Amino acid sequence: MNLNKEFRSEIPSTKVDHPALNDAGVTLFINRLDLTHPFLSGNKYYKLKYNLSEAEKQGHDSLLTFGGAYSNHIYATAAAGKIFNFKTIGVIRGEEHKPLNPTLSFANKCGMKFYYLNRKTYRSKTNPIVIELLEDKFGKFYLIPEGGSNALAVKGCTEIVNSIEVNFDHVCCAVGTGGTLAGLAAGLAGNKKALGFSILRGASFLNENVSSLLQSYSKKEITNWQINFDYHFGGYAKFNIELINFIEEFERQSKIPIEPIYTGKMLYGIFDLVKKGSFTSGETIIAIHTGGLQGLAGLRDNISQLKNEI
Ligand SMILES: *Cc1c(COP(=O)(O)O)cnc(C)c1O
């Protein structure tokens, strides 16, 4: 299996110019992982790549995974199936809604089959009884956890660090399940640090997730990482007009498109910490643009509603 086919291996890092950065003497680069591939972009490619080769090695022709109806991971898994010739099954939280939203419509076009679980059953999706039910229905499959985080995802995400061509002190990413942050931390050398921004509310369990992902990946103790919990904006997929205004200003200044679920929250957090003096003058930050722009199609109505309310 050629895991690198069609994928851009040189990822540009763009310097951001902003008065707040100048005032603090801090340099910020955006690593454009969102440009790796038109459909399988951002961190999701890195999280999936070694899972795909493992699935092939184990002789599977089907991938099964879990996610919400707007999930970037569902979108990416469907695209990966299409590109690398796997059948894909998406177990979706909640009820079916027709017409399909843009995320599921794309996944459907890639050949993904859907299976909807009500929210209660969805919560027990890792229970062997649920897995057995899915095997009865779909036959044997290679199981990728919700959000795609496992030891092989961590291995893939260590490669994000290798693709960074500028010198830096801190590498930042948005944190949903923690696989990407774990991979960044494991890939770092010397005294560089990885800083994650939780996009979930009340998610201190993410510290344990990242620790245990790192343990499953490496016997070495890896401690050069930290999660900030202050910029979740109310929780997963929640945002407010302040965040939307920040994103629009950032896009105007930098010409880099971002979205409010992941990268918008991370960048808001970085700028706020810069203003508060949390970084030392002379330091360089690299923020990973983990992609997720596909989700904007499903958010347009929410965003314009928010703007009309003020
Ligand atoms: C999935 C996703 C993340 C979160 O990655 P984890 O490894 O689950 O923490 C961050 N940003 C974007 C755009 C994503 O789609």
Side-chain angles (χ1 to χ4, degrees), residues 31-69:
N31 178 255
R32 297 296 304 275
L33 223 55
D34 59 311
L35 301 176
T36 42
H37 188 276
F39 304 118
L40 181 43
S41 79
N43 57 345
K44 298 302 186 275
Y45 163 61
Y46 290 88
K47 293 180 77 169
L48 283 170
K49 63 188 285 191
Y50 292 109
N51 280 292
L52 300 174
S53 54
E54 182 62 23
E56 184 187 56
K57 207 186 299 167
Q58 292 181 14
H60 287 286
D61 66 356
S62 299
L63 311 171
L64 179 141
T65 196
F66 305 89

Side-chain angles (χ1 to χ4, degrees), residues 41-44 47 71-73 146-149 157 173-181 199 206 259 261-263 288-293:
S41 79
N43 57 345
K44 298 302 186 275
K47 293 180 77 169
S71 159
N72 295 332
H73 170 65
E146 180 179 40
S149 286
C157 288
C173 71
V175 178
T177 59
T180 307
L181 179 63
I199 56 106
L206 285 172
E259 46 67 56
I261 314 284
Y262 292 99
T263 51
I288 308 295
H289 191 322
T290 40
L293 297 169

